[in-house]
């Protein structure tokens, strides 16, 4: 990334926004000069982007071209910093969210868009048999039906054989992704990014082991820095403009899902011997997740107790499922596994839910996230600092440990207008970082 900082007002150029549709032949409608806002959304759980654009229609674009859904919209953006390249993304118009008359001859429209692969996937039905490990099956589906390359971090997952049961390509890939985990139980994510063209099938352990992208200068919430200093300075660029915590520490929800303490049973209906009938195991989030993976930050403690017993020691739920058995001669099916792998699936879900249990949303200058050469948002780690709720002269320790540390970005909203480019980042705390 370029190290040259720029003012937010000059940080990005909306190069072009065009609309085209087979219904209007070869005509390309250029609405670049009429666009006032563009919001583009990334999410670690979604293999496609979504977007919303606002534009002023004073040339009767919507009515004359009979635009109402299914049109192709191409957006090209470029950072105004040196050594950057344009970022181009193709979307399809999903729906017209709203319209408001400005005067007799002009109207504001808000259009909701979905990335081309998300729209085109909905047109295709997959009903095929596959035999391989999850990452290779996902790569095959994406290549065959979407023409997209998938980059994967791990090919050691257990081989399986399955029949995709009449799903769209994206539904099929997500269905397989949801049953995938590393040998330690870390979940996988399948995501699309604003900057790059490929999809990513990445495991959480790899994401957690990567370095933070701003170790030189953390994002900090400081009113003093907001009010003073040049907007061209690095320190000013890394100021948190706003933040909020929402849906935090929902421990009761985890208990109800059987992800704190629970007994699991997988029934094998083909076995006559009672001893072979069930795969039983007890899940204890402290023993099975937190004690084995201390490098991660989980918002749970075995010091939560009732009747002198930790919450995780209560088998608060009994969850029974039927597992398929020997559907194929040599390969395991989608739901078939041994006791150890069944438990890994529970660990997988527990880690995913635990790490998402205390999200922090921050708004920052977007200049760091659009150089056009590297993906820098979802799945990347950032360092964040908040000051303690205490006057500096009253303490020799300045940082709020609850809000400060290293965070994993799991969702991003890129907001572009004619004045500035901001990024709203939804983050999950994963460690204390180097807070001192």
């Amino acid at each position: 990334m370029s190290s040259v900082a720029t003012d937010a007002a000059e940080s990005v150029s909306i190069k072009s926004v065009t609309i085209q549709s087979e219904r209007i032949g070869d005509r390309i409608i250029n609405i670049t000069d009429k666009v006032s806002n563009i919001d583009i959304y990334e999410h670690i759980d979604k293999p496609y982007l979504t977007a919303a654009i606002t534009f002023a229609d004073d040339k009767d674009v919507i009515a004359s071209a009979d635009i109402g859904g299914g049109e192709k919209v191409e957006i090209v953006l470029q950072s105004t910093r040196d050594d950057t390249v344009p970022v181009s993304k193709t979307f399809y118009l999903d729906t017209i969210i709203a319209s408001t008359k400005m005067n007799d001859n002009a109207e504001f429209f808000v259009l909701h868009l979905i990335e081309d692969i998300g729209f085109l996937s909905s047109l295709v039905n997959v009903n095929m048999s596959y035999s391989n490990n999850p990452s290779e099956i996902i790569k095959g589906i994406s290549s065959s039906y979407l023409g997209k390359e998938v980059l994967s971090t791990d090919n050691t997952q257990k081989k399986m054989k399955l029949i995709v049961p009449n799903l769209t390509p994206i539904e099929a890939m997500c269905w397989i992704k949801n049953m995938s985990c590393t040998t330690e139980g870390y979940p996988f994510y399948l995501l699309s990014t604003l900057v790059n063209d490929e999809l990513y099938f990445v495991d959480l352990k790899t994401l957690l082991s990567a370095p933070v992208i701003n170790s030189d200068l953390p994002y900090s919430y400081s009113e003093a820095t907001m009010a003073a200093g040049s907007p061209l300075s690095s320190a000013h660029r890394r100021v948190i403009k706003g933040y909020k915590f929402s849906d935090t520490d929902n421990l009761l929800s985890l208990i109800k899902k059987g992800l704190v303490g629970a007994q699991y049973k997988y029934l094998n209906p083909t076995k006559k011997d009672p001893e072979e009938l069930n795969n039983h195991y007890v899940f204890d989030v402290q023993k099975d997740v937190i004690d084995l993976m201390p490098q991660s930050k989980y918002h749970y403690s075995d010091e939560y107790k009732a009747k002198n017993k930790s919450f995780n020691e209560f088998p608060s739920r009994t969850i029974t499922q039927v597992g398929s058995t020997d559907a194929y001669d040599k390969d395991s099916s989608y739901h078939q596994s041994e006791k150890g792998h069944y438990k890994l699936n529970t660990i997988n879900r527990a880690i995913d839910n635990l790490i998402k249990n205390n999200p922090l949303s921050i708004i920052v200058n977007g200049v760091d996230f659009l150089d056009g050469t590297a993906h820098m948002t979802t799945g990347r780690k950032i360092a964040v600092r908040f000051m303690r709720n205490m006057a500096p002269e009253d303490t020799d320790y300045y940082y709020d440990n609850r809000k400060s540390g290293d965070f994993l970005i799991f969702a991003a909203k890129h907001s572009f207008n004619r004045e500035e480019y901001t990024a709203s980042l939804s983050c999950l705390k994963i460690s204390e970082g180097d807070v001192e």
Side-chain angles (χ1 to χ4, degrees):
M1 293 178 61
S2 170
S3 60
V4 180
T6 62
D7 193 342
E10 304 172 346
S11 62
V12 69
S13 169
I14 301 176
K15 306 289 287 186
S16 70
V17 181
T18 58
I19 302 174
Q20 59 185 117
S21 170
E22 285 74 7
R23 295 179 61 193
I24 56 177
D26 297 331
R27 180 184 172 197
I28 297 177
I29 304 172
N30 191 327
I31 62 171
T32 307
D33 294 338
K34 302 300 180 182
V35 171
S36 57
N37 294 86
I38 301 175
D39 292 331
I40 298 178
Y41 301 85
E42 300 173 295
H43 199 287
I44 201 169
D45 283 325
K46 288 187 177 181
Y48 56 87
L49 307 177
T50 57
I53 63 174
T54 302
F55 82 102
D57 184 6
D58 59 0
K59 300 296 184 183
D60 199 33
V61 170
I62 297 294
S64 62
D66 195 20
I67 292 174
E71 289 77 19
K72 189 181 295 184
V73 180
E74 183 173 358
I75 299 173
V76 182
L77 306 161
Q78 184 171 6
S79 171
T80 55
R81 292 181 299 160
D82 295 333
D83 302 321
T84 63
V85 297
V87 172
S88 176
K89 282 293 177 180
T90 302
F91 296 86
Y92 276 81
L93 175 59
D94 178 16
T95 184
I96 298 176
I97 298 174
S99 63
T100 303
K101 271 287 191 181
M102 302 162 56
N103 53 53
D104 288 345
N105 304 113
E107 190 170 358
F108 262 121
F109 285 92
V110 181
L111 310 181
H112 185 268
L113 315 175
I114 182 171
E115 192 177 1
D116 53 357
I117 60 170
F119 189 92
L120 297 174
S121 173
S122 65
L123 301 174
V124 181
N125 176 67
V126 181
N127 188 7
M128 291 283 292
S129 173
Y130 294 92
S131 179
N132 213 321
N133 62 51
S135 63
E136 293 303 316
I137 296 175
I138 288 174
K139 289 177 182 179
I141 293 173
S142 182
S143 175
S144 298
Y145 294 98
L146 302 176
K148 279 279 187 179
E149 182 182 2
V150 177
L151 304 180
S152 175
T153 57
D154 188 351
N155 286 311
T156 62
Q157 308 104 318
K158 180 181 177 181
K159 185 176 179 180
M160 64 172 66
K161 187 170 183 177
L162 54 86
I163 298 175
V164 176
N166 292 311
L167 302 174
T168 68
I170 283 182
E171 288 173 343
M173 292 190 294
C174 291
W175 179 61
I176 296 165
K177 178 264 296 183
N178 291 339
M179 283 292 286
S180 303
C181 63
T182 68
T183 55
E184 297 167 286
Y186 286 98
F188 276 82
Y189 302 103
L190 182 65
L191 61 144
S192 178
T193 67
L194 173 59
V195 172
N196 295 332
D197 291 329
E198 301 86 359
L199 298 179
Y200 292 87
F201 184 57
V202 296
D203 66 276
L204 181 60
K205 184 177 182 179
T206 298
L207 298 179
L208 296 180
S209 63
V212 298
I213 64 174
N214 62 325
S215 57
D216 59 325
L217 187 62
Y219 288 99
S220 301
Y221 186 81
S222 171
E223 292 186 356
T225 310
M226 289 181 195
S230 168
L232 300 180
S233 69
S234 297
H236 198 279
R237 179 169 106 247
R238 296 281 174 84
V239 168
I240 296 173
K241 298 172 179 288
Y243 79 96
K244 70 173 182 177
F245 280 92
S246 60
D247 300 323
T248 61
D249 298 325
N250 193 347
L251 179 57
L252 182 59
S253 174
L254 298 179
I255 293 173
K256 290 180 177 180
K257 291 178 181 178
L259 299 178
V260 173
Q263 182 176 18
Y264 285 80
K265 298 180 181 180
Y266 281 82
L267 301 181
N268 182 345
T270 67
K271 299 293 186 181
K272 295 182 180 180
D273 187 339
E275 293 184 0
E276 297 181 351
L277 183 63
N278 301 322
N279 271 320
H280 295 263
Y281 61 87
V282 173
F283 176 74
D284 181 324
V285 70
Q286 185 69 40
K287 295 179 180 178
D288 295 322
V289 176
I290 297 173
D291 289 348
L292 298 179
M293 303 172 188
Q295 69 273 26
S296 300
K297 179 73 175 180
Y298 300 114
H299 290 271
Y300 177 79
S301 169
D302 57 3
E303 293 180 1
Y304 292 118
K305 293 185 177 182
K307 298 180 179 179
N308 297 319
K309 187 163 66 172
S310 297
F311 290 176
N312 49 282
E313 295 175 341
F314 286 89
S316 54
R317 296 293 182 274
T318 297
I319 299 173
T320 303
Q321 293 177 281
V322 176
S324 61
T325 307
D326 301 329
Y328 306 105
D329 291 337
K330 297 181 180 180
D331 297 319
S332 296
S333 64
Y334 180 84
H335 286 294
Q336 178 183 348
S337 194
E338 292 78 30
K339 179 178 178 179
H341 197 79
Y342 284 135
K343 192 166 188 176
L344 280 180
N345 289 334
T346 306
I347 293 172
N348 170 2
R349 293 191 299 112
I351 292 174
D352 183 62
N353 279 266
L354 278 168
I355 202 169
K356 293 177 180 176
N357 198 37
N358 196 37
L360 165 69
S361 296
I362 60 174
I363 301 174
V364 298
N365 190 319
V367 68
D368 287 329
F369 305 109
L370 195 76
D371 68 359
T373 61
H375 170 63
M376 303 301 289
T377 50
T378 47
R380 302 302 300 268
K381 289 166 55 179
I382 58 173
V384 176
R385 301 290 182 267
F386 281 82
M387 305 300 291
R388 291 182 70 187
N389 298 327
M390 182 177 291
E393 59 270 20
D394 295 336
T395 180
D396 58 358
Y397 184 76
Y398 304 109
Y399 293 116
D400 181 337
N401 274 336
R402 184 175 177 80
K403 297 186 184 74
S404 302
D406 291 346
F407 287 74
L408 180 74
I409 302 171
F410 78 92
K413 173 187 175 184
H414 303 265
S415 297
F416 308 92
N417 59 41
R418 299 298 177 182
E419 288 75 40
E420 64 176 348
Y421 162 34
T422 59
S424 301
L425 309 176
S426 297
C427 309
L428 309 166
K429 187 170 183 180
I430 54 176
S431 75
E432 302 294 348
D434 59 356
V435 177
E436 297 178 354

